[in-house]
């Protein structure tokens, strides 16, 4: 992973990882080309918001429990949590400027 | 003095990158602007079996990575950005890219085409909730479930065949009674056990928006007018593409069907503006024809810049 500021989350620690503060979770898989395309943007957000936003990735191949809980039927999907509550859902590719606007609303 | 590029290429699919390769080799130092869908439609495919020179096929994303590397090797510059606006009414042409201004003496439009939606409204609202335009991206989530594919062309059958490996049942819904898809794809789909076809039928509604997931499709037979409901967990829309022309609408001439109008190769109605690939091609729409037209656009641009063309 290009940025060490992006945390890897799993079914096991998902609840714990998202329960406080602002957390952006990127659901992805190796075989998903648009996910690879979105990755640099997500990593950039982790750098830009260092300390104010936790950026995490979840591999949907390795974690079968969490994606269905949020009815994820397509990736990439970004979920934004604030203190454990789901605030925003972004499906598919997204422009960095749009994501910045979305995150800033909840800071 | 403003820095002026010889040529700016918008788009990085087979057309844009081939134009970049040829323009770079002609010493035009092209700048390629790739958007969020960088690499184009091939990024969403698996094995490409009809790209000449690869008898065993090549993976779409791998082909695009090779094309990109090849363009870079000869000096093309590729930047990521969202082109907010293009002005070709005065020279040099002006582009606004993610808040920065660029100037160019010539422009190659290779913005491609994007998957069409059903125009029901509900299909977009349930996008990522069971409605998809990309089986290779989202098929994974429908393992052991029932899905439908809407459409009758090559893309629709490709999606159906891919999904048949994951889903229990795949129903192809087509508004006519014959397929537009190539014979090879038709034979492959017909021979797949868990693919069935519903003919002369259109999707009029997708349920269930209130639940935020797909539970069924409301169908209407366009011959008999009879309505029915098909329970599915997902629906993949493959009814064709619309050209991405919003940047130049009103500035260059478009065909009645919305594609950029070209003449004598890749020339558009504005001298110095060229178009290549799916943004100007509603007939062939192949990776190899897109690449071919990208080559033409680069050569046309070079001749225009040296004052011998147009």
């Amino acid at each position: 992973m290009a940025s060490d500021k992006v945390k890897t989350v799993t079914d096991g620690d998902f609840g714990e990882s998202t329960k406080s503060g602002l957390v952006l979770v990127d659901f992805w898989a190796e075989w998903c080309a648009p996910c690879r395309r979105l990755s640099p943007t997500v990593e950039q957000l982790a750098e830009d918001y260092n300390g104010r936003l936790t950026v995490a990735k979840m591999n949907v191949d390795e974690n079968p429990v969490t994606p269905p809980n949020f009815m994820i039927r397509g990736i990439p999907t970004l979920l934004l949590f604030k203190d454990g509550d789901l605030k925003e859902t972004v499906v598919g590719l997204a422009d960095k400027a749009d994501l910045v606007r979305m995150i800033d609303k909840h800071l | 003095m403003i820095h002026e590029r010889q040529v700016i290429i918008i788009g990085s699919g087979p057309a844009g990158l081939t134009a970049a390769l040829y323009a770079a080799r002609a010493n035009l130092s092209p700048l390629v602007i790739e958007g969020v869908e960088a690499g184009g439609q091939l990024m969403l495919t698996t094995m490409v079996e009809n790209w000449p020179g690869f008898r065993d096929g090549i993976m779409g994303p791998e082909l695009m990575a090779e094309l990109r590397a090849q363009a870079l090797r000869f000096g093309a510059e590729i930047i990521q950005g969202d082109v907010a606006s293009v002005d070709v009414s005065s020279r040099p042409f002006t582009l606004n890219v993610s808040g920065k201004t660029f100037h160019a003496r010539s422009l190659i439009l290779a913005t491609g085409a994007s998957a069409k939606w059903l125009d029901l409204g509900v299909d977009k609202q349930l996008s990522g909730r069971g409605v998809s335009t990309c089986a290779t991206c989202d098929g994974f989530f429908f393992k052991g479930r029932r899905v439908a594919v809407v459409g009758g062309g090559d893309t629709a059958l490709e999606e159906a065949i891919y999904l048949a490996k994951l889903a229990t049942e795949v129903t192809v819904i087509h508004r006519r009674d014959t397929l537009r898809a190539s014979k090879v794809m038709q034979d492959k789909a017909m021979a797949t056990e868990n693919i069935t076809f519903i003919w002369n039928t259109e999707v009029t509604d997708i349920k269930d928006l209130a639940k935020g997931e797909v539970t069924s499709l409301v169908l209407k037979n366009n011959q008999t007018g009879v309505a029915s409901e098909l329970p599915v967990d997902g629906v993949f829309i493959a009814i064709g593409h619309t050209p991405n022309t919003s940047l130049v609408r009103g500035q260059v001439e478009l065909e009645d069907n919305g594609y950029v109008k070209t003449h004598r190769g890749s020339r558009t109605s504005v001298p110095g503006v060229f178009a290549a690939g799916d943004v100007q091609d509603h007939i062939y729409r192949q990776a190899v024809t897109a690449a071919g037209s990208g080559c033409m656009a680069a050569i046309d641009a070079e001749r225009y810049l040296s004052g011998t063309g147009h």
Side-chain angles (χ1 to χ4, degrees), chain B residues 115-139:
Chain B
K116 250 189 213 166
W117 293 79
L118 286 171
D119 247 354
L120 296 172
V122 63
D123 53 340
K124 278 210 163 160
Q125 285 165 296
L126 286 172
S127 153
R129 295 280 188 220
V131 182
S132 172
T133 55
C134 175
T136 54
C137 313
D138 303 335

Side-chain angles (χ1 to χ4, degrees), chain B residues 155-171:
Chain B
T155 310
L157 296 194
E158 235 165 78
E159 304 254 288
I161 292 162
Y162 178 82
L163 289 165
K165 291 177 206 146
L166 301 162
T168 51
E169 291 166 49
V170 180
T171 309

Side-chain angles (χ1 to χ4, degrees), chain A residues 6 26 28 34-44 57:
Chain A
V6 178
D26 175 14
W28 70 286
C35 299
R36 281 198 294 275
R37 185 41 68 192
L38 185 63
S39 255
T41 307
V42 170
E43 280 158 16
Q44 194 59 54
K57 298 191 102 173

